[in-house]
Amino acid sequence: MKHYNDEFFNKMIDGEVDDSTRREFLHHISECKVCEVEYSLLQKAHNSFRQIDIEEAPPTLNMMVLKRITRVVKPSAGGKKFFIGMLIGLTAMLLVLFGYAFEVGKNLSPKDQKPLLDFSKIDLSFLQEFFNSFKGFSEVFTPEFGGTLILLVISIGTYFFVERVKTK
Amino acid sequence: MAKLDDLEIIESVRRGNVSDYSLLIDRYKHKAFSMIFRMLKNRMDAEEVLQDCFVKAYNNLKSFKGDSLFSTWFYRIVYNTTLSRLGMKKRQIEEMMLSIGEELDFEDPDADTSGRKKEEKELLNKVIEKLPPNYAAVINLFYLEEMSCEEISVILNTGVPNVKVLLHRSRTALKKLIKENNLEDELR
């Protein structure tokens, strides 16, 4: 007598067998003890899997996930603030460093436009002295270099000022 | 209050109600944890991976277009993140899935039990413990999540015939153990 195999039993369980084949099989197992037992065992395995336990997730999961999510959000908001603050600071610095007083309406040529700051007229001797105290740095110091340093300090200061105002 | 569906919760989270994400976590955490735990066979690792999955899903919520069910999309994240933790390369997984003729190896099923007959649950857990990760994933998705083989194939990024092979071989392995341990009469 021909016996059915596990592959066929699995198809029976999954309902992938057409009606006539199904009827033929049911008739077969009514007479064949071997196939009846094998099919019944596979059905038992299938039913056991249906009773598979759900493993409990840790109770702190929600809290931990929300904590991580909000931690992800904060730096990006801070990053935006930082970007805006730095942009304002750098714009202020660039305006002063490279900006010219465009005397609107007077149609002046670029050579007649005057810089807002003429570093050579500013007394930066205190910075000069500071740099002189470092060997080798005295040659580096120029009025523009000193002015740039001061403006850098101003831009950082502006950033912190903007941040503080925003926080309030 | 009416129970919100997944898409409604996602919309709410996208509008900025981050705390509503807890509703989605509650909906999926136990079943996702069951799948990860059975794939990794380690509770602590599974807890970490579960957290990572929910964080990843949140960070990628914008890319969820709703073309598929949220559960399918989320379980893809769960499956891939767990595989990454296992350090398994895609090629290895494909090879494992394609080695259809190979039998599952359940060495010495009586090794840690003294009695002749074992409890049904104990046996079931023993089989699941021994299942390779992709088999464990299929068993969880099919029996716990009650997903179709088509949905599972999307999650595992493989063909439906491969999913069926994994499912059938898992059942056959349990059948073999039931037979070997003479549990036929004790099981329904």
Side-chain angles (χ1 to χ4, degrees):
Chain A
M1 186 186 275
K2 174 206 160 196
H3 294 299
Y4 288 83
N5 59 16
D6 281 337
E7 195 187 338
F8 180 83
F9 299 147
N10 271 302
K11 283 185 179 171
M12 275 292 293
I13 289 171
D14 292 334
E16 292 173 353
V17 175
D18 62 66
D19 276 351
S20 67
T21 315
R22 187 181 180 84
R23 273 197 299 272
E24 196 183 312
F25 170 70
L26 291 175
H27 175 70
H28 173 80
I29 57 170
S30 67
E31 293 173 350
C32 175
K33 188 72 183 164
V34 178
C35 286
E36 190 206 349
V37 169
E38 292 296 313
Y39 179 55
S40 155
L41 278 172
L42 199 70
Q43 271 188 321
K44 281 169 182 168
H46 171 63
N47 290 337
S48 295
F49 275 131
R50 288 167 80 173
Q51 292 162 37
I52 192 171
D53 285 331
I54 292 183
E55 296 286 337
E56 293 276 315
T60 54
L61 178 77
N62 294 43
M63 189 192 74
M64 297 298 284
V65 171
L66 290 177
K67 199 174 166 185
R68 280 178 65 181
I69 287 169
T70 44
R71 203 191 298 159
V72 171
V73 171
K74 272 179 185 167
S76 78
K80 201 175 173 185
K81 273 184 174 182
F82 178 81
F83 177 74
I84 293 169
M86 280 309 283
L87 196 68
I88 294 169
L90 282 169
T91 309
M93 186 179 105
L94 289 171
L95 272 175
V96 180
L97 191 59
F98 301 110
Y100 287 82
F102 292 100
E103 296 181 52
V104 181
K106 290 188 180 174
N107 294 325
L108 292 175
S109 65
K111 67 176 182 179
D112 294 326
Q113 292 167 1
K114 293 169 187 171
L116 279 172
L117 272 181
D118 186 353
F119 293 121
S120 58
K121 288 178 182 171
I122 300 172
D123 182 14
L124 295 171
S125 56
F126 70 97
L127 265 178
Q128 178 103 51
E129 279 170 27
F130 175 74
F131 274 92
N132 284 347
S133 60
F134 297 99
K135 203 175 180 183
F137 275 91
S138 57
E139 291 165 12
V140 176
F141 188 84
T142 60
E144 284 74 21
F145 180 72
T148 307
L149 268 182
I150 289 172
L151 290 170
L152 192 63
V153 172
I154 292 170
S155 70
I156 293 169
T158 312
Y159 162 69
F160 282 110
F161 175 74
V162 171
E163 282 297 284
R164 197 165 178 171
V165 169
K166 275 172 151 186
T167 315
K168 279 180 181 175
Chain B
M1 191 177 130
K3 197 181 170 193
L4 297 174
D5 66 30
D6 289 354
L7 283 178
E8 287 170 324
I9 297 171
I10 291 165
E11 275 312 307
S12 174
V13 173
R14 279 173 176 162
R15 283 197 301 268
N17 303 318
V18 181
S19 59
D20 279 359
Y21 193 58
S22 251
L23 299 172
L24 273 184
I25 298 175
D26 284 336
R27 197 163 288 178
Y28 290 100
K29 64 182 176 185
H30 297 307
K31 287 178 180 173
F33 182 69
S34 302
M35 176 169 149
I36 299 167
F37 173 62
R38 285 179 178 131
M39 284 177 78
L40 293 177
K41 332 274 185 209
N42 179 302
R43 190 165 287 274
M44 276 182 69
D45 285 353
E47 287 178 9
E48 272 178 35
V49 170
L50 183 66
Q51 258 191 49
D52 291 346
C53 291
F54 280 113
V55 173
K56 265 188 197 176
Y58 176 84
N59 290 337
N60 291 295
L61 222 48
K62 278 180 193 166
S63 70
F64 175 68
K65 303 276 187 283
D67 303 332
S68 62
L69 291 172
F70 174 78
S71 56
T72 309
W73 182 81
F74 176 66
Y75 277 111
R76 276 196 80 156
I77 295 176
V78 170
Y79 181 71
N80 290 328
T81 310
T82 312
L83 285 189
S84 299
R85 175 59 70 102
L86 282 164
M88 294 181 91
K89 303 277 182 292
K90 193 172 177 261
R91 190 178 54 78
Q92 284 175 286
I93 295 295
E94 280 169 356
E95 277 173 10
M96 197 186 281
M97 285 181 169
L98 290 171
S99 55
I100 294 167
E102 181 188 311
E103 283 294 318
L104 283 175
D105 182 23
F106 291 94
E107 287 174 5
D108 195 7
D110 291 314
D112 59 353
T113 50
S114 52
R116 193 177 66 86
K117 289 184 177 179
K118 284 170 276 186
E119 290 290 325
E120 180 188 349
K121 285 278 175 196
E122 199 182 328
L123 194 67
L124 182 61
N125 288 332
K126 193 171 185 65
V127 171
I128 294 168
E129 263 174 40
K130 293 253 183 181
L131 287 175
N134 46 346
Y135 285 76
V138 169
I139 290 296
N140 269 271
L141 293 171
F142 189 83
Y143 287 104
L144 270 187
E145 277 292 343
E146 298 180 346
M147 284 183 176
S148 66
C149 290
E150 285 74 17
E151 282 176 291
I152 298 172
S153 76
V154 173
I155 292 167
L156 270 60
N157 194 25
T158 188
V160 175
N162 277 342
V163 173
K164 284 184 180 169
V165 165
L166 298 178
L167 184 63
H168 293 175
R169 287 181 64 193
S170 304
R171 272 185 206 149
T172 307
L174 183 56
K175 176 196 155 203
K176 197 177 158 193
L177 279 192
I178 292 169
K179 200 175 176 180
E180 282 172 359
N181 290 276
N182 301 322
L183 277 169
E184 296 94 324
D185 300 332
E186 293 180 18
L187 299 178
R188 275 169 286 164

